[in-house]
Amino acid sequence: MKDDILNRLQFSLGKDADHASVYDWRMAVSLTVRDQMVDTWFNSTKEAYAASSKRVYYLSMEFLIGRLIEDMISNLQLEDTVRGALTDLGQDFDEIVHDEPDAALGNGGLGRLAACFMDSLATLGIPAFGYGIRYEHGLFEQSFAQGQQVERPETWLNQRHAWEFERPEVQFPICFGGHVDHHDGKTTWHPSEKVLATAYDTPVIGWKNEWGNTLRLWSAEPVSQFDLDSFNRGDYLAAGRSEALARTISRVLYPDDTTDSGKELRLKQEYFFTAASIQDLMRRYLQDHDDLRQLPEHVAIQLNDTHPAIAGPELVRVLVDEHGIDMAEAIPLARACLAYTNHTLLPEALEKWGEWLLGRILPRHLEIIRIIEETQQREHPGSPRILEHGDVRMGELAFIMAHKVNGVSALHTELVKETVFADLHRIHPTRIINQTNGITPRRWLYNCNPGLRDLITDAMGDGWVADLEQLTALKAKRDDAAFMQAFQASKRDNKAALSNWIGQTCGIALDPDAMFDVQIKRIHEYKRQLMNLLETVALWNDMRDNPDHDWTPRVKIFGGKAAPGYYMAKDIIRLINDVAEVINNDPATKGRLKIVYPPNYNVTMAERLIPASDLSEQISTAGKEASGTGNMKFALNGALTIGTLDGANVEIREHVGSENFFLFGLTAAEVMERRQHHGYARAAIEASPRLQRVLGQIAEGRFAPHDTGRYHGVVGMLYDHDYFLVTCDFDSYFDAQRRADNAYQNADNWAAMALMNTASMGWFSSDRTIKGYARDIWNAHPPRAAMDRSA
Ligand code: 73E
């Protein structure tokens, strides 16, 4: 390993050890590790071909993979080797690992789920490709200026990406615009614009299993590099114009989470990566099959939300226009390959495209969508329509073109059946199924929490890493005093390390014995960071009123970005920072209450915060968070949840036991009911003196003394509509927080509750989720299991 690293340093980086920077060392290490994956990767491809396996294609606009070096090293079992080699070379392993920038090619849960699924698909040995976009700029970088969010472009590709292989030979033309000709029963699309999709492959190797899949991300390039005629004429700008236009398509990730931005470029991005992926999988299929009617036996295409929903009409187009299959046969054939995951019920997220826009960019697809619509209406008269009020509704399109539609938690799936797709569900009663989300235990325990990982492994071996339900054996340890002490110590160590980091990065000193209460996720009204903040102010008031009470010391930690155009969310960020400024400088609550909000929350920061958390804030308005996956990461790492009956919280609570979970708030049914009452927010505020006081303080400028009107909009919103029922759940939330305070006072009992969380979270492994998809949706199997069976 040492020699390999030095060779890479010399021959790939052109540096000698005396002059190498951290970057050089990191690249040398990464390339060396990457070399070790290649055989495994090739062999897996060969095995999948030999077994003629069905392949899974996971189409996603987002893959929030974060940093890869630790995953790669640990899945290959190279930790000791790499560490040892670097020590011998006089280098610091941790410094090198931390040098890798996060690949932030996603907004939040949806993109992170796709990344966890890639890890589980490889670990289960299921032949699979992840298909997405190689954005030049991932999610923007966040900083705060006077408490306000400032966005700057993210630049992960300013440095070479160590893990990818460019595939200049894997390139497909992607067409847009123009018109369609129908001649002698033959249809021809004459596009007006063309770009090239070039593949970049990142191998994804499973845990200890020598199986490798591929994450294939597409980059947009111009068909011809530049226009020499224009250049020779001296028109230098025109010479590069078409190049710039083409590259725009993969330039930047849209920064909206659970919202539909509805922009033309977004539609082009969606079609761009979907069409490239379908050409690629068709080429692979046709290499060793000739009967397209067998396609569903070999190809399973999973649509990660509606973003790739154009895959339905695109696959039909390819089958009909390029391979001469009848439309009537092509539609069910495509459907048998396609499945769709719904991730949200929020109306602002349901994608719609104006018919005129879609028709201008994808004229043939609009024709095909009309035919799909007619077919559906003929077979199921009165079916909900894809085309309505001049819009193409992508949810309906995805549903109608999928053989299975899944929700992402038990509650969410029921709500999908009862609300957005109620009418389609009546027509197709077996199509909607549930697959509760999961998280990969490799990243979210093994790699991010070495203290706890070692403790568990010492107690029971490392079988749990690929079979997380083994953690139930830890339940027996709650009476083992030595174990429990070590369990507590590992949390304490993580909190001390986090305190150091926060001291260095935010300049705020924390007490590692205080309760670390953490809410990290996108800033959104439905996630109710505002309610958390109001509770913090109420607690501060109570502490000041009763200074002699035995208060449980708290550190409130926030992390998350707001979409750049979401003004209410940005006001909430500013309010958190303004309140922090006042409370953190108040001598009356010193040592008892602190608020920290480190900027630029990302996957790597989550890996730091989650292992150091005591309390996990999962406080969305019931019925709004489809699943959540952060909730699972916290519980797995031994944090207790304070939460509503929303998304996967419901199932987490069932698994960990209601006595190990701080429940509060209205249920989804009660939320819907409460909204019917006129003036529910005002009534709730009037009934809560504590809340009234807090709102009064904010309204009168207590936290913005030089700009007292700053938060009138926020307070006015709570009085006048409060769509997410912050006011209605406030008192119940405050009470639950005090129950948490009391519980934390008994450290042994708290640790026992925390252990019950870790020990009960095995079911939430994304390995379990992927097995569910493979069984209920894809009918896909690991070829090695088949070989093992025949052996
Ligand atoms: O509850 C989460 C869920 O855990 C949900 O909000 C999120 O998906 C996670 C994984 O299932 C989600 N993201 C989006 N919709 N739901 C979304 C919508 C549009 C653009 C980007 C993301």
Side-chain angles (χ1 to χ4, degrees), residues 62 107-111 113 254 256-260 266 304-305 307 341-346 349 351 408 437 526-527 624-632 647:
E62 307 191 0
N107 274 287
L110 173 142
L113 185 75
Y254 273 94
D256 303 287
D257 189 69
T258 59
T259 13
D260 161 32
R266 168 85 178 186
N304 199 21
D305 216 278
H307 317 148
T341 305
N342 173 282
H343 290 272
T344 177
L345 302 169
L346 295 183
E351 278 193 300
V408 290
N437 284 169
Y526 85 82
K527 296 179 188 278
K624 293 294 167 193
E625 189 71 270
S627 163
T629 44
N631 47 5
M632 302 170 188

Side-chain angles (χ1 to χ4, degrees), residues 194-458:
K194 198 190 270 184
V195 303
L196 293 174
T198 303
Y200 288 75
D201 288 351
T202 300
V204 183
I205 308 292
W207 166 260
K208 260 192 181 181
N209 71 342
E210 305 199 2
W211 183 270
N213 286 326
T214 304
L215 173 61
R216 175 160 283 184
L217 301 181
W218 301 103
S219 178
E221 280 171 29
V223 176
S224 59
Q225 284 294 322
F226 87 146
D227 178 355
L228 191 59
D229 286 344
S230 300
F231 185 84
N232 287 340
R233 263 186 276 116
D235 192 349
Y236 305 121
L237 282 180
R241 198 163 289 144
S242 72
E243 177 176 359
L245 270 176
R247 293 197 197 281
T248 303
I249 291 181
S250 54
R251 182 96 69 206
V252 42
L253 167 77
Y254 273 94
D256 303 287
D257 189 69
T258 59
T259 13
D260 161 32
S261 43
K263 299 271 183 355
E264 175 171 338
L265 179 62
R266 168 85 178 186
L267 178 60
K268 285 188 163 175
Q269 289 185 333
E270 293 182 354
Y271 179 64
F272 166 77
F273 96 96
T274 303
S277 309
I278 286 184
Q279 289 189 65
D280 195 38
L281 68 87
M282 287 296 268
R283 174 192 56 84
R284 190 169 301 110
Y285 176 80
L286 291 169
Q287 267 171 20
D288 46 11
H289 304 90
D290 39 35
D291 184 3
L292 280 168
R293 286 162 186 88
Q294 303 292 311
L295 195 65
E297 267 86 273
H298 298 275
V299 168
I301 303 172
Q302 190 66 34
L303 308 178
N304 199 21
D305 216 278
T306 55
H307 317 148
I310 198 69
E314 171 67 2
L315 187 52
V316 171
R317 184 189 72 79
V318 170
L319 292 171
V320 173
D321 297 354
E322 295 180 7
H323 296 280
I325 293 185
D326 276 355
M327 189 63 82
E329 201 181 344
I331 293 174
L333 193 56
R335 181 179 296 125
C337 298
L338 291 163
Y340 152 54
T341 305
N342 173 282
H343 290 272
T344 177
L345 302 169
L346 295 183
E348 63 268 33
L350 301 177
E351 278 193 300
K352 286 200 275 278
W353 294 106
E355 247 182 272
W356 59 270
L357 174 68
L358 200 136
R360 187 159 60 72
I361 294 177
L362 301 169
R364 177 57 177 151
H365 296 77
L366 184 59
E367 289 184 357
I368 292 171
I369 291 169
R370 291 209 173 98
I371 298 169
I372 293 169
E373 176 91 303
E374 283 159 20
T375 313
Q376 175 76 5
Q377 292 299 325
R378 202 169 48 246
E379 292 172 359
H380 308 283
S383 167
R385 293 189 170 271
I386 302 169
L387 298 156
E388 202 179 63
H389 307 309
D391 282 330
V392 185
R393 303 195 296 172
M394 301 308 266
E396 281 70 14
L397 174 63
F399 190 112
I400 288 167
M401 286 307 295
H403 70 284
K404 287 286 176 215
V405 174
N406 77 283
V408 290
S409 74
L411 173 65
H412 169 65
T413 300
E414 287 315 302
L415 294 172
V416 168
K417 290 179 186 167
E418 289 165 17
T419 61
V420 263
F421 294 132
D423 294 332
L424 280 165
H425 175 55
R426 260 190 293 280
I427 299 171
H428 305 282
T430 58
R431 195 167 295 183
I432 301 179
I433 61 167
N434 179 243
Q435 298 295 343
T436 298
N437 284 169
I439 55 169
T440 169
R442 272 73 66 185
R443 182 176 293 255
W444 296 111
L445 178 52
Y446 188 92
N447 285 330
C448 74
N449 197 345
L452 183 56
R453 168 245 278 163
D454 291 346
L455 182 63
I456 296 172
T457 304
D458 287 347

Side-chain angles (χ1 to χ4, degrees), residues 86-137:
L86 284 173
T87 308
D88 288 354
L89 290 164
Q91 300 303 312
D92 178 355
F93 178 83
D94 294 314
E95 187 187 8
I96 286 172
V97 163
H98 285 280
D99 183 61
E100 182 173 319
D102 269 41
L105 310 185
N107 274 287
L110 173 142
R112 185 52 236 174
L113 185 75
C116 284
F117 280 5
M118 290 306 296
D119 185 67
S120 285
L121 282 161
T123 294
L124 293 169
I126 297 174
F129 281 76
Y131 278 130
I133 298 177
R134 183 178 180 270
Y135 300 106
E136 209 176 301
H137 303 284

